[in-house]
Every structure is written in C-alpha cells, then in structure tokens.
Amino acid sequence: MGEVKLIASTESLFCVRIEWALKLKGVEYKYIEEDLRSKSKTVILEYIDETWKENPLLPQDPYQRALARCWAKFVDEKCVFGAWGACIAKGEEKEKAVESALESLAFLEKQIQGKKFFGGEQIGLLDLVAGWIPHWLNVMEEVGGMKLLDAEQFPSLHEWAQNFIHTSLVKECLPPREKLVNYFNASVSYMHSLAANK
Amino acid sequence: MGEVKLIASTESLFCVRIEWALKLKGVEYKYIEEDLRSKSKTVILEYIDETWKENPLLPQDPYQRALARCWAKFVDEKCVFGAWGACIAKGEEKEKAVESALESLAFLEKQIQGKKFFGGEQIGLLDLVAGWIPHWLNVMEEVGGMKLLDAEQFPSLHEWAQNFIHTSLVKECLPPREKLVNYFNASVSYMHSLAANK
C-alpha cells in the first residue's frame, strides 16, 4: 500500500470512525479536510490533478483556474439540481422548474460557444463536471417527461455533449441507460412519496 | 503511490467524473461498487479491516460478523437519524421524536450489558459505528434542548460511552465541542428554514 489519504470533514460522525479504524490498524495517513458545507464536489478531482501531472485538468493561470472552479460550482449547484428539480416537479410547479433549469443551461451554452471542450482543445475539469449532461440529463428528461437539452435551443452545448460522450474513455465508464432509468424512476417515486406524507 | 481504489456507485453522476479523471491521468485503479441506496456506511470500515489485518474489527465467526453488520446498520439507520430527528423536531412532534430516539438507544443498552466494548474486550466495528454517541449525541442534546443518554436510564451504554471516549486513539480524533455546537446549530436553523418555506 502507498500513502493513505483520508478526505474527511471533522464535523462528520461518519468520517471520524474511519479515522479511528485507521488508527486502530496503525496505518499512517494524511488527513485532508473537506468542508462538507461548502459542497465542493470537485475536491477529489483537484486532488487527482495535483497528484498526477499528466493531462492537467485545471489551467495554469490562476485567474483561469478560479473561473473554472466557479463554473464547476455553478454546474453542481444550478444545473444538476435544476435538472433534478424539474425532473421531480409536478403540476403547476413543473413549468417553473423546467424554465429555471433551461436558464442555467443557457449560461453553459454561452460558455461553450466556439470551443470544442470547456477545457479548450482538451477535456478539462469543467468537462468532467458537466459530463453527466449527455447521459444522465437524457435519462432525467425521459423520467421527468420533459425536454431540456434541445439541439436547436442549445446547439453548442448539444454538439459538445456529442463530442464528449463519444470520447473513448468517457464511453467506457457509462452505466447502462436502462439501469439509470430504473434508478431515477425509483428516486422520483421516493421523492413523491415523501412529499405526499408531509 | 500504491494501488488506487475507487469506491463509487455506478448511478452517481458525482462518482463517474472521478473515474474519468483517473482514466485521463492514466492511473490504474480498482473499482469497488457501493450501492448508495443500501446506505451501507460501513463499507470503508470493512475495506480497511480486510486490507490491514491487525486489530480485527469484525469477529471471525460468520454468524457473529453478520450480527455486527446488522447492528451497525441499526445504529446508522435508527440511532443516528433518530437522534437527529429529535434534535430538529419542534412543537408537538418533539416528544414523539425523543421517545422514538430513546427506544433505539434502549436496544443498544441491552446489547452492551455485561461487556466492556461492543466488540468484547477490544474495540470492534460496532464500537466505531456507535462512537459518535459520547461526543456528537451530547452536542445534539444541547442544540436540540433534550436529554437522550441518561446515565440512570441507560447505565451500561453510559459506561461504555465513558470507556470509549477516554481511549487515547479515540480522544485524538475528536473535533472541538464548540465547533460541533456551531455546526449543529447552523444545520438545525437550516432545516427549520427549509420547513418554513414549504
């Protein structure tokens, strides 16, 4: 085994037990604090980028790095949850939720215009973070009975999605579509049952 | 670096991007599937136990192993969320939530009777999983304005909590109490604001 790194949050009662287990085993480890409240879901990607230097995920320039991180946060906080919100919304809330999801995608459309990847000529951090769009969003659309990534409304984002998903390393890791459909159908039913019991 | 292991769920759009990053970097890794829906929060502990043999966390006997896992699930699903539910409940729901949390703790009280640790003479998996009780539960009690781990009502569990928290390796990893109080206060306020906006 190489060096063990524990990415954890000091406040989490689910993390501390892992630390105890490593100590019990006498395993040396490096503790890396992640503030769960900041919802920084890119921390593992940044860690990977710092550990292995080939194919850099973030730009060299500090300003460009900050921008890429900012967009990654936008995708996680607005686009992912926007699409999910539209997927589970029902009745009169549906239209509003779909509109809100479309607004977020419009920002991404502007961002990708004239570029092959968000990272430029190569796949970068933001491509990975937005990488759920070609596969997962399509499933959310089916399960939620709505269209979000329309090729006419978002031509550049649609083209990027096709480029990205046909990259061989991306294709290799995609879960079967049918499995995702079942998973999202079950999740949506669960969310609706929670709302019904309120 | 030693062998990289990725513990992930195929359905998760937050996990797949990490897999893509590792592939981009050309990093060999072992993929370990974790079904997020099964909420098996002990998977990392079991992985640690299998990787490093000293101080076994689980018993040798298959039946005893299954029992320990079953109790770990009970602690995560009933005790942790029971205490948290009691912490955030307000008004007439408070009493019901506290009662339900106490019922779960009563099962643990029976389980620890006559033993030093849940694992017997040594700390085992279930001690780690229940290890939030002496530190975190106390904070939840303060923040939620309630008493759950009463020394008279739960004498054995209370004694275990004292033994456990005074073990040196356990003490070393505890976050400062004040930090936890702030964290839980903020979380409770957040939950209440969500409920108010329903």
Side-chain angles (χ1 to χ4, degrees):
Chain A
M1 293 292 298
E3 192 186 357
V4 173
K5 281 159 181 127
L6 175 63
I7 299 172
S9 170
T10 45
E11 290 99 348
S12 168
L13 61 90
F14 296 111
C15 293
V16 71
R17 55 174 77 156
I18 295 164
E19 209 177 351
W20 289 332
L22 290 171
K23 281 193 178 269
L24 264 179
K25 298 288 185 178
V27 176
E28 300 259 333
Y29 59 92
K30 189 177 166 191
Y31 186 95
I32 301 166
E33 172 73 14
E34 180 190 354
D35 185 347
L36 294 180
R37 281 170 302 178
S38 80
K39 297 192 191 84
S40 170
K41 295 201 164 53
T42 58
V43 68
I44 300 178
L45 293 179
E46 294 210 36
Y47 166 71
I48 290 172
D49 204 29
E50 284 162 18
T51 306
W52 294 280
K53 300 301 178 192
E54 46 282 61
N55 289 326
L57 300 177
L58 279 167
Q60 284 293 314
D61 177 65
Y63 174 70
Q64 294 298 330
R65 291 168 81 86
L67 267 189
R69 285 195 188 102
C70 176
W71 276 106
K73 207 168 139 85
F74 176 81
V75 169
D76 277 350
E77 294 185 1
K78 299 292 178 188
C79 301
V80 174
F81 289 103
W84 173 238
C87 186
I88 58 173
K90 289 197 295 191
E92 56 191 25
E93 283 181 7
K94 187 87 175 179
E95 197 180 338
K96 234 163 63 185
V98 168
E99 203 172 306
S100 163
L102 291 175
E103 275 172 23
S104 299
L105 291 180
F107 281 100
L108 278 192
E109 168 72 13
K110 276 198 182 156
Q111 192 60 18
I112 191 64
Q113 267 168 14
K115 289 193 281 190
K116 184 172 180 193
F117 293 116
F118 289 100
E121 278 306 300
Q122 306 295 332
I123 290 176
L125 183 91
L126 190 50
D127 295 280
L128 301 185
V129 168
W132 58 280
I133 291 176
H135 197 57
W136 271 259
L137 182 58
N138 181 268
V139 169
M140 290 191 213
E141 287 175 336
E142 176 181 327
V143 170
M146 68 208 171
K147 185 72 192 169
L148 294 176
L149 185 57
D150 184 82
E152 285 187 23
Q153 193 174 0
F154 303 117
S156 304
L157 192 59
H158 187 267
E159 198 187 331
W160 164 84
Q162 293 304 313
N163 280 339
F164 183 77
I165 208 171
H166 287 107
T167 311
S168 62
L169 75 88
V170 169
K171 262 192 296 196
E172 288 166 18
C173 306
L174 296 178
R177 195 171 183 286
E178 206 44 48
K179 196 175 173 185
L180 273 192
V181 170
N182 292 340
Y183 179 78
F184 274 91
N185 268 324
S187 303
V188 167
S189 299
Y190 176 68
M191 294 303 289
H192 290 170
S193 73
L194 281 183
N197 291 330
K198 274 258 163 280
Chain B
M1 293 292 297
E3 192 186 359
V4 173
K5 278 156 183 131
L6 176 62
I7 299 171
S9 171
T10 45
E11 289 98 349
S12 168
L13 61 91
F14 295 111
C15 294
V16 71
R17 54 174 77 159
I18 295 164
E19 210 177 349
W20 289 331
L22 290 171
K23 282 193 176 267
L24 264 180
K25 297 290 186 179
V27 176
E28 301 257 333
Y29 59 92
K30 189 178 166 189
Y31 186 94
I32 301 166
E33 173 72 15
E34 180 190 352
D35 185 347
L36 294 179
R37 281 170 300 178
S38 80
K39 298 192 190 86
S40 168
K41 294 200 165 52
T42 58
V43 67
I44 299 176
L45 294 179
E46 293 208 35
Y47 167 70
I48 290 173
D49 203 30
E50 284 161 20
T51 306
W52 293 280
K53 301 300 178 194
E54 45 281 61
N55 291 324
L57 300 178
L58 278 168
Q60 285 292 314
D61 177 64
Y63 174 71
Q64 294 297 329
R65 290 168 82 86
L67 266 188
R69 285 194 189 104
C70 176
W71 277 105
K73 207 166 140 82
F74 176 81
V75 170
D76 277 350
E77 294 185 2
K78 299 293 177 189
C79 302
V80 173
F81 289 101
W84 173 239
C87 187
I88 59 173
K90 290 197 294 191
E92 55 191 27
E93 284 181 6
K94 187 87 177 177
E95 198 180 336
K96 233 162 65 183
V98 167
E99 203 172 306
S100 162
L102 291 174
E103 274 171 24
S104 300
L105 290 179
F107 281 99
L108 278 191
E109 169 72 12
K110 274 197 184 157
Q111 191 60 18
I112 191 65
Q113 266 169 14
K115 289 195 281 190
K116 185 172 180 194
F117 293 115
F118 288 99
E121 278 306 300
Q122 306 296 330
I123 290 175
L125 183 92
L126 191 50
D127 294 282
L128 301 185
V129 169
W132 58 281
I133 291 176
H135 197 56
W136 272 258
L137 182 59
N138 182 268
V139 169
M140 290 190 213
E141 287 176 336
E142 177 182 327
V143 170
M146 67 208 172
K147 186 72 192 168
L148 294 176
L149 185 58
D150 185 82
E152 285 188 22
Q153 192 173 0
F154 303 116
S156 304
L157 192 58
H158 187 266
E159 198 186 332
W160 164 83
Q162 294 304 311
N163 280 339
F164 183 77
I165 207 169
H166 288 107
T167 311
S168 62
L169 75 89
V170 169
K171 260 192 299 196
E172 287 167 20
C173 306
L174 295 177
R177 196 173 182 288
E178 205 46 46
K179 197 174 173 184
L180 273 193
V181 170
N182 292 340
Y183 178 78
F184 275 90
N185 269 324
S187 302
V188 167
S189 299
Y190 176 68
M191 294 303 288
H192 289 170
S193 73
L194 282 185
N197 290 330
K198 276 255 165 276

